[in-house]
Amino acid sequence: MRFSLIIPVYNRPDEIRSLLLSLEGQTYRNFEVIIVEDGSTIRSDELISAFGSFFDLRYFYQENAGQGFARNYGMDQACGDFFVILDSDVQLPPEYLSVLQAAIDSRELDAFGGPDRAAKEFSKLQKAMDFAMTSFWTTGGIRGKMKKRSNYQARGYNMGVSAEVYTKTGGFVDPNRGEDIEWSIRIKKAGFKLELVDEAYVFHQRKSDLRSFIRQSFSFGQNRINVSRYHPEAVQLVHLLPLGFLAFLFSIPLMSFLVPQLMFFQLGLFLAWSIGVFTGSYQSHRSIEVSLWSWVCSVSQLTAYGLGFLLEWKKKAFSS
């Protein structure tokens, strides 16, 4: 099997360098790398050219069209049997492609999605962001820890499809608004087998500051509603939980005036949840500072997602 690794990049030469360095160490060597520069003003072509002697590498530049359409362009150029789609801010462990190839063959997969982790050298804040995006206390573990692997909806930072899947489904139909989730749903509706490959993880170097993380979480809430424009069933009970969390927080000061006894009960629930977040993070990272940041990121992620979800839902309701 020959893999084609499709990587869109936008103004991130340092990130793409780290990813390419991780590709040098892959134990599975039958792959090509296709980088699509999506209208960057800070280009990566000179940096990328230094890696051409280590593996089959091709570079393309296009006017900015959004990462979904940049990925489509890359897949149009690909020569492999299976296309692996990666974001520029990930790094791969050495066994990544070997593990993926074995899973595709043994499970007869047409498509896959993989989880993400924080590498040891990541900052404390980035480790906290990773916890907020993947823990039971925030997302219920749906981003890479599902019991039923066929329920997984692949994310664009670590997903892949066979060349046949791309030809028959046509790739991404949205540039950057939950386009990966939309395509995952459409792939399954077309009868292809897409599952989580939990052992094919990547190290995902998330946003470098809290403000960017909050903006991203807000957009994730908006994106879920956008996907529901294509697939109404895309919004399920689990996706309403951040909105419930947001309403819960805002109701606490209100209850202090209306029903003080209920307010104390709410504060107890919030304290119990906070302890769960703190201890869960500490068990993973053995760092009080990371655990404190995990609490900040968890509250931020849930409230921002809930607000984005609510505002986009209202926009959709009024436009229909």
Side-chain angles (χ1 to χ4, degrees), residues 261-276:
Q261 296 88 341
L262 182 57
M263 181 202 68
F264 288 113
F265 176 72
Q266 289 178 302
L267 289 174
L269 287 178
F270 184 66
L271 177 62
W273 175 84
S274 298
I275 292 172

Side-chain angles (χ1 to χ4, degrees), residues 206-219:
R206 298 184 184 277
K207 303 299 181 181
S208 58
D209 62 86
L210 184 60
R211 180 177 296 181
S212 298
F213 177 70
I214 292 172
R215 285 200 301 265
Q216 185 184 56
S217 298
F218 180 86
S219 70

